[in-house]
Each structure stands twice: as structure tokens, then as C-alpha cells.
Amino acid sequence: MTRGRLKVFLGAAPGVGKTYTMLEEGRRLLGEGRDVVVAIVETHGRIATEAMADGLAVLPRRTVDHRGVRLTDLDLEGVLARRPEIALVDELAHTNAPGTDYEKRWQDVEALLDAGINVLSTINVQHIESLNDVVERITGVPHRETIPDEVLRRADQVEVVDLAPEALRGRLADGCIYPSGRIDAALSNYFRVGNLTALRELALLWLADEVDSALQRYRSEQGIDDKWEARERVVVALTGGPEGRTLLRRGARIASRSAGGQLLAVHVTNQDGLRDADPAELAAQRGLVQKLGGTYYEVVGDQTSKALVDFAKGANASQLVIGVSRRSRLAALLTGPGIGATVIRESGEIDVHMVTHAAAGRRFALPHPGGALSWRRRALGALVALVGGPLLTLLLTIFRSEESITGDVLSYQLLVIVVALIGGIWPALFAAVLSGLTLDFFFIDPVRTLTIGEPAHFTALILYIVNAVLVSYVVDQAARRTRAASRAAAESELLATIAGGVLRGQDTLRALVTRTREAFGLDAVRLRGVDGTLLSEATSQPPSPGQAEAVTVPVGERAVLELDGRPLAAADRRLLAVITTQVDTALEYRDLSRAASEVGPLAEADRVR
């Protein structure tokens, strides 16, 4: 026997017209010559609903006596005996009267469907089990009659009966939903505009999710892998590193730009179950996903890039957010393209966002051309390469012999290392290439040519370059650490001076302003009150006519600092924030001292009095 089909009319709140629409659909099917009966309909005395039921065959109800009360309910046996083609069964979540075959009406509907009878039914969003507590938080009204989500999901068709909140409130005010004695209370409580809007959104989103599930089933059954942009879905790839939070927030912003956007976060684990991700960081990111309204997934894959792309395609994603690789350019050259490049190549129609972050490129990186070395050291390194190379060549040419080639190579290698120690990577690379070419031209047969006839000669040139890179990297890192240590020492000294002055109770405003100008190399620093009064000033030279406007930095609610001179870097502004806090403390101490000096004579006078 073929199972019957179920169509459910879903409403956001009572009175939107679910029963009316169901009866209207029954009349339409009856007009097509179908066998339609009303198994049970609750009109609640609404005239328009009762009028819509006219002309439809209505089956008798079953009567049940319960504790002296006569109750009427669906007569399941009568409907099964009548065996109509289509039965109209209102209020799917209704609890049956005691003594009936089933506890819930949706169980009666299941029996009708198993018997091959098609059913039209109705339900409100508050009766869906997974949304019941959400509706209670919105409206403050508990609903004990619910149906499992799976029952509604198994329906062959779900149609939302939608009505704008203001229109529904208008129907309620006109007496079309409740008797006149209940209208005012309903309008000011359950049927507030905000409540109705939220319930309406819940109903539409539930149906949207169901449509999405149906679409996924269809794509899976048909073997469709192409991207269908029915909804904006953003997949964020998490590695377990600290950059994950940045990626999640960026993905959430992308998803929020379109209505119904969805955020999915995925972490790929190797098939052996081992991973280098920080479990605590990954757990924190999982919590952030939930706060952002997204869904967290973990998938297993041997190739991370392929697993990411497969997951994104399977989720019908429209956007894929990944972080910029933490590998350096040198690592990329040695090990080939990273995950990001592979994902972009294999993503197909999915848009890929490469998001930069603080950890990008932190693993072994070549020094920046600017580097930590001063321009004087880099210029000196280049000068040593330019002068030392020809001088070394002249010296070695004088003493050249067939047995001296090893010494010649080591001499040029020493020159490269010396240049790297002085000037860093770029002068060292220049010296390595120049010395390699010089060796080949003057000391390796055939001499006076740049022909590299032996593979070993080419290998020697590569070794020069590698030596230059390694040594210059060490020099650059040492210079960076030296500069950082010097700055840290200067900052500590400055802060110690400031804090000491405050603790000693001195009038430190002048010292603070002066040290601020000296520490940052500014032309002038002025401390003004909020009313524009000049409290303190430190200048190194008078302002010039073409000087740019001073930068103003707030100092609490009492004053502002005016800074003339060069723009401050980010690290400078961090230190400046500490200084402004100390200035604010000094101002507060000054005000308290003045108040105390004024209170002292008054206290003495009171004591005498």
C-alpha cells in the first residue's frame, strides 16, 4: 500500500489563517473532483473559518467522557473506515482526550498516512519541539503541546502561512481571533509587534533550513558538485593557531552581509588523529563560533587542502576564508606551494578570501630590505664588497698557482661572511654573486671567461649565496634584538622616572612633558587643560610657519597633550598611552593636593571653634 502524503500549513502565531488556508485548499481539491473530508477542524468560533468549511463533508467526532466532562476528538476509526482520498486534520500538535488510541494527534495522522490517506494539517511554530524554549523566552508563555521536529521534517510539503505583524494585530483588534474580553491583554502581551516579528522570523528560518536540507538531498542524489548560490555560506578554515579568531570574525562579517547568511567553521585533522593544534585555543575558537551563531565541524583528511575544498563543496559554500600562510617565502620556495595556493587552485567557483593576521610569515623569514641594520651599516657592507673584492682578487692573482684554488675559494667565502656580518643580507648576496663570478673569470679554467663548464663550479656559487643568507639572517636577528633591548631599556628608564616622580609627590608635569618630547624626538609638547589653559610646555625650537598642525592626545578628562613634530609609530603610541595615564595621575594628585591645602585651614578653624 502506498503511504499517504502530508502537507502542513505552518504559522508564526494564532490567527494568521492556517485553518482558513487549509480549508481553502480542501475546497480547491474538492473542485478538482477529489474525495475530501474534514476529519476535524477547530474554528474557535471564527465566522470566516466556519464559512470556508461549508460545502465540505465533515465526519462525526468521537465523544469521550473524562471525569464527568464530555470531550470531542478525532474519530480515527471512523476516518479509516470512510477511507477518503484527502483528510483535513487541524492542530497537528494537539493532545488527544484520555482513552483514545494515541496520545497525540500527530500519531493519528501517522496512522492515516500509513493507511494511504493524504492529510492536510496545521501547526504553529511554538509547537515545534526544538523551538519551544526559544518561543517561551520571546513571549514568556510556555507551550506544553509539541511535536518532534522529525515528524514535521518528514512532511511531503510545508507551507508557511505568513501575515505581517501589524496586519495580525489589526485582525486581533477587529475581533477576528479572540473574543472582545481577551483582545486588550493579547495586544499588550503575546501579540506585541516585537514578539510577532521574532516568531515570524523563526517560522521563515525553519522553513528555509528545511528547504536547504531538501536541496542538499537532491544534490547528493543527483551527484551535483557545482556551487548553487541559493544562500550565502561562508566556510572558515581553522588550524588551531591564534589567527583563528581573526578569521572567524572576518567570516562572520562576510556572512552577515546577506540575508540568511550562514557561518561554518571547519578544522581538518590528520587520519592518524595527530595534530599540532593547541587544544585550548581550538576549544576557545569553538566557543567563539557558537557566539557568532555559526556551526563548528571537524573533518579527517590526509591532505588538508583537499579536505577543505571537499567540505566547502559538500556544504554548497559560496565563500571560503583561510589565513595567510605562516610559512615564510623561503619555506615556500623550499617546500612548494602551501595550503592556500592549493585551495585557490582547486576551489572552482567558490570565492576564496586570504586573510592576513599577526602570525603570518613568522616562521624563518628573510630580513626585510630595510632590516634591523642601519643604512650606514648596509652602505659600509656594500663598500667592503666593492673595494675588498678587487683588492682580494689582485692579491690572489699575484700568488695564483694550480694548487691554490682551494685557498682562493675559502678567501672569497671569508669575504662574503665579513660583508654579511657588516651589512646584512643584501650586501652579502651582492658579494656572493660578485665573488662567484670573479672566481670563475680569473681562477677557474678556462680563465678570462664566464663559462661554467663543471657542475661543481655552479654548486660553489650556490654555496656562497646560502652562506650569505644564513650569516646575514643571524646578524639581522641579533641587530633586531639589540635594538629591541635598547628600546625596552629606554622605555623602562622613562617609566621609572615618571613613576618615581609621582610616588615622591613632586610636581612632575614639567618633567613629564619634557621627557615626552625628548623620548620621541618631538619639536614641542604642550599640556593644556580642557578649557585651553596651558599647564606645561617643552620646546626645542620655535614653530615654523609651514609646520603641520599639532596632534592632540586626550589625557583623561582633565587635559590634552599637543604634539608637534614627526608622526608617531604604533610602538611609540603604546608608550605614549602609558605616559598619558601617568600625566592624568599627576593631575589628579595636584588637584587632591590643592583640595587638601584648602581643607587644612578649614579643619584647623573647626578645631579651634
Side-chain angles (χ1 to χ4, degrees), residues 225-246:
D225 294 329
D226 294 339
K227 180 182 68 170
W228 288 8
E229 295 185 7
R231 181 194 290 193
E232 197 75 34
R233 279 187 185 81
V234 181
V235 173
V236 177
L238 300 179
T239 64
E243 73 278 1
R245 307 188 190 202
T246 302

Side-chain angles (χ1 to χ4, degrees), residues 218-394:
Y218 175 79
R219 284 164 48 85
S220 178
E221 292 170 359
Q222 301 298 321
I224 299 174
D225 294 329
D226 294 339
K227 180 182 68 170
W228 288 8
E229 295 185 7
R231 181 194 290 193
E232 197 75 34
R233 279 187 185 81
V234 181
V235 173
V236 177
L238 300 179
T239 64
E243 73 278 1
R245 307 188 190 202
T246 302
L247 303 184
L248 286 172
R249 292 188 178 96
R250 177 63 62 85
R253 290 197 296 271
I254 296 173
S256 65
R257 292 172 187 167
S258 62
Q262 189 175 2
L263 176 67
L264 299 90
V266 57
H267 173 68
V268 179
T269 305
N270 292 333
Q271 291 185 355
D272 56 9
L274 300 176
R275 61 188 180 194
D276 58 359
D278 182 358
E281 180 65 29
L282 205 56
Q285 293 174 15
R286 184 170 188 169
L288 179 59
V289 173
Q290 296 174 352
K291 290 181 181 179
L292 294 173
T295 310
Y296 178 85
Y297 298 89
E298 282 200 10
V299 298
V300 179
D302 228 2
Q303 299 179 359
T304 303
S305 56
K306 185 177 186 304
L308 283 176
V309 173
D310 290 345
F311 176 85
K313 290 182 177 179
N316 197 25
S318 57
Q319 314 275 345
L320 180 57
V321 178
I322 59 178
V324 173
S325 176
R326 285 179 284 176
R327 305 184 313 156
S328 66
R329 294 181 180 178
L330 178 61
L333 290 174
L334 296 176
T335 62
I339 294 175
T342 307
V343 167
I344 292 174
R345 185 176 64 251
E346 298 180 356
S347 61
E349 297 180 356
I350 300 175
D351 297 333
V352 180
H353 298 263
M354 296 283 290
V355 179
T356 187
H357 50 84
R362 280 193 175 178
R363 299 178 184 175
F364 187 82
L366 286 174
H368 189 270
L373 300 176
S374 66
W375 67 269
R376 291 185 178 86
R377 286 191 59 175
R378 296 196 300 273
L380 180 59
L383 181 62
V384 170
L386 286 173
V387 176
L391 291 177
L392 180 61
T393 302
L394 178 61

Side-chain angles (χ1 to χ4, degrees), residues 582-603:
Q582 296 291 349
V583 173
D584 188 37
T585 303
L587 289 171
E588 183 179 9
Y589 177 82
R590 186 198 62 174
D591 294 343
L592 291 175
S593 298
R594 289 178 178 176
S597 63
E598 294 174 359
V599 170
L602 294 177

Side-chain angles (χ1 to χ4, degrees), residues 34 66 70 101 121 162 169 241 319 373 428 458 489 543 550 579 592:
R34 313 285 289 276
H66 178 65
R70 284 179 77 84
D101 295 337
S121 188
D162 188 33
R169 285 170 56 86
Q319 314 275 345
L373 300 176
F458 181 76
I579 294 176
L592 291 175

Side-chain angles (χ1 to χ4, degrees), residues 407-420:
D408 298 340
V409 172
L410 292 176
S411 299
Y412 280 104
Q413 185 176 3
L414 178 62
L415 175 65
V416 171
I417 293 176
V418 170
V419 172

